[in-house]
Amino acid sequence: MEPRTRCIIVGGGPAGMVAGLLLARSGVPVAVFEKHKDFLRDFRGDTIHPSTLQLLDELGLMEEFDKINYSKVTQAKFPAQDGIRTTILDLSLVKHPYPFIAMAPQWDFLDLLARAGEDEENFDLRMNCEVTELLTVEDRVVGVRYSGPEGIGEMRALLTIAADGRWSNIRNAAGIAIKEFAVPIDVWWFKISGELNIKNVLSPAFARNRSFVLIPRHGYVQTAMLLPKGKDAELRAEGIEAWHRAIIEAAPELQDGVSALTFEDAKLLDVKLNRAIRWWRRGLLCIGDSAHAMSPVGGVGVNLAVQDAVAAARILAEPLKAGTISDRDVAAVQYRRILPTILVQSAQRIMHLGLQRLMNTSSDVLLPVPIAKILRAFPKLASIPARLLGVGILRERPPEAAKRSSTER
């Protein structure tokens, strides 16, 4: 007999794992399909924002998360024209139980969620199982066909959730249309051994025609280098020495770690910004990057995906349990999440224009002195962008049935 469940989730990233865990704790049988045998992947977002940390606390998982070797970022500083680095964002001023961004390897975060799922009888995580096809009856998605260690299989469900990332095969197979936005940048993502002079601070750094974002970690600096869209091969052709010189010019304190870098260490992130016009069709819902690919600017992609998952679980848990889920229920998830998605993507598009101008100038990019003086005179102003970045525009709360205290685990 063909196996059945209430909800199939395709993709074991943050959106898929959070949605699966919350639904399972709410009494909904869930099967999560992850095509890889583990969670170790490049380009996994490492920023865990205050909103997600608060969710972990509500789920009774913060004690386990604290065992991960993560670092904290509390501020962002920008150089001003008078030579003084000025705080433009300060999470420590935000009234929140977790006023910082945790920089944690995403595979550790996902492993934590997987272990929590092991305690739930309704949670079925299937690693090394790739969904290859959607099963449909008339115009409704009724399940999936997959390939796993035991061969080809099929499973049916009331709802299939696509959480398989920005290149979503499930979204494409479902015929869901995407609106693409022009993006002027790509990113090289790499690690430099060493420590920054300023701790717990995210900082931009500049060399001639090169812009970097430096993120402090334990024993190394996670680094993003901005490059014009499609210029990866051209920059590599300039040679390794040119790249090394640019990094040292921008961040002299990291000089000792630069010599060990090879081009193999520079992973290209092909930046995309898009949004599904409608996130669902009958029997199917897209969340996270499957519904809206975000730019890495601001590092908000993981946390928006998690908030999508929380909203989906809260809205859909009861109709899935009752077996009464309808198009109206599924559409309600997009209705709830569309405003923060549009606002964040609009802000990113504006920031892209600034980054494009930045990459086209050979001079240092500096904060004007009048603005810098205002920020120094009224430091609490830095809490406004901090709250928008760290907590978001619309906080989602998990289903009550999914909450736990740390002593309940």
Side-chain angles (χ1 to χ4, degrees):
M1 183 176 177
E2 199 174 80
R4 292 176 177 270
T5 189
R6 288 299 172 98
C7 182
I8 291 169
I9 298 175
V10 184
M17 293 296 286
V18 169
L21 179 60
L22 296 184
L23 287 171
R25 285 187 173 186
S26 301
V28 178
V30 176
V32 180
F33 287 83
E34 168 54 48
K35 68 179 180 180
H36 297 95
K37 64 181 181 180
D38 55 41
F39 296 118
L40 296 171
R41 230 87 68 240
D42 287 331
F43 309 138
R44 291 284 200 181
D46 288 351
T47 54
I48 309 297
H49 288 211
S51 57
T52 302
L53 295 172
Q54 188 168 11
L55 172 68
L56 291 175
D57 192 358
E58 292 172 320
L59 301 182
L61 298 176
M62 197 60 199
E63 186 175 315
E64 288 298 306
F65 184 80
D66 279 334
K67 296 176 183 178
I68 297 173
N69 185 29
Y70 66 85
S71 56
K72 296 181 180 180
V73 171
T74 58
Q75 294 181 328
K77 292 180 179 286
F78 206 91
Q81 291 174 339
D82 57 7
I84 301 173
R85 281 192 170 276
T86 302
T87 301
I88 61 171
L89 180 151
D90 194 342
L91 283 158
S92 68
L93 299 176
V94 176
K95 292 182 179 179
H96 193 275
Y98 299 97
F100 59 87
I101 292 173
M103 304 300 301
Q106 192 178 117
W107 47 85
D108 287 337
F109 175 60
L110 296 175
D111 279 335
L112 182 155
L113 296 173
R115 292 194 302 272
E118 291 174 358
D119 297 334
E120 306 300 326
E121 62 178 357
N122 289 314
F123 187 85
D124 178 12
L125 175 59
R126 300 188 173 208
M127 302 296 291
N128 206 22
C129 282
E130 181 175 7
V131 172
T132 57
E133 189 178 342
L134 292 174
L135 304 178
T136 59
V137 173
E138 297 179 348
D139 66 339
R140 184 179 186 87
V141 175
V142 297
V144 300
R145 182 171 289 116
Y146 63 91
S147 174
E150 298 177 359
I152 304 298
E154 293 184 356
M155 182 178 286
R156 299 203 171 216
L158 294 177
L159 178 68
T160 298
I161 294 179
D164 54 336
R166 59 191 184 133
W167 306 106
S168 178
N169 291 325
I170 301 305
R171 179 192 66 214
N172 295 338
I176 290 177
I178 285 285
K179 182 178 182 179
E180 297 280 355
F181 300 101
V183 176
I185 64 167
D186 284 329
V187 172
W188 278 1
W189 191 244
F190 54 94
K191 301 175 182 178
I192 308 173
S193 296
E195 300 278 355
L196 293 173
N197 294 333
I198 305 176
K199 307 297 182 185
N200 303 330
V201 173
L202 184 148
S203 304
F206 305 102
R208 187 177 58 174
N209 296 323
R210 295 288 178 267
S211 303
F212 303 85
V213 178
L214 308 176
I215 306 168
R217 304 292 292 270
H218 292 306
Y220 67 93
V221 178
Q222 189 72 59
T223 306
M225 187 180 92
L226 306 181
L227 54 149
K229 192 73 176 175
K231 296 294 185 180
D232 172 67
E234 185 176 315
L235 291 185
R236 291 177 192 269
E238 293 180 2
I240 196 77
E241 293 300 327
W243 181 39
H244 286 181
R245 284 196 301 271
I247 299 171
I248 293 169
E249 180 183 344
E253 67 265 43
L254 299 178
Q255 181 170 355
D256 291 344
V258 170
S259 60
L261 288 175
T262 70
F263 278 135
E264 289 184 355
D265 298 314
K267 309 299 184 182
L268 173 67
L269 177 57
D270 179 10
V271 177
K272 294 180 71 67
L273 191 67
N274 61 35
R275 185 170 67 244
I277 295 171
R278 192 171 81 167
W279 297 13
W280 61 278
R281 57 173 280 188
R282 295 191 69 198
L284 178 85
L285 170 67
C286 296
I287 61 173
D289 283 358
S290 299
H292 46 74
M294 311 302 291
S295 165
V297 173
V300 296
V302 170
N303 301 283
L304 275 175
V306 167
Q307 294 294 296
D308 283 359
V310 175
R314 189 185 65 254
I315 292 168
L316 302 177
E318 288 305 317
L320 280 170
K321 279 179 66 177
T324 60
I325 190 164
S326 66
D327 291 349
R328 172 183 260 180
D329 296 320
V330 178
V333 178
Q334 179 177 355
Y335 182 79
R336 172 72 181 180
R337 296 300 303 157
I338 192 66
L339 179 60
T341 300
I342 289 174
L343 291 177
V344 170
Q345 288 188 328
S346 298
Q348 289 185 328
R349 292 172 68 191
I350 292 170
M351 294 172 74
H352 285 168
L353 295 175
L355 292 173
Q356 187 174 25
R357 288 195 293 269
L358 186 154
M359 288 186 294
N360 291 332
T361 181
S362 60
S363 58
D364 291 342
V365 179
L366 302 171
L367 199 65
V369 170
I371 294 177
K373 286 185 175 180
I374 291 172
L375 289 171
R376 292 173 206 153
F378 303 98
K380 287 187 177 181
L381 289 174
S383 69
I384 298 172
R387 173 163 285 278
L388 291 174
L389 176 71
V391 181
I393 297 162
L394 185 64
R395 186 196 163 202
E396 304 292 352
R397 289 172 170 79
E400 286 298 319
K403 294 182 180 181
R404 302 283 190 277
S405 67
S406 58
T407 58
E408 290 182 271
R409 296 201 67 249

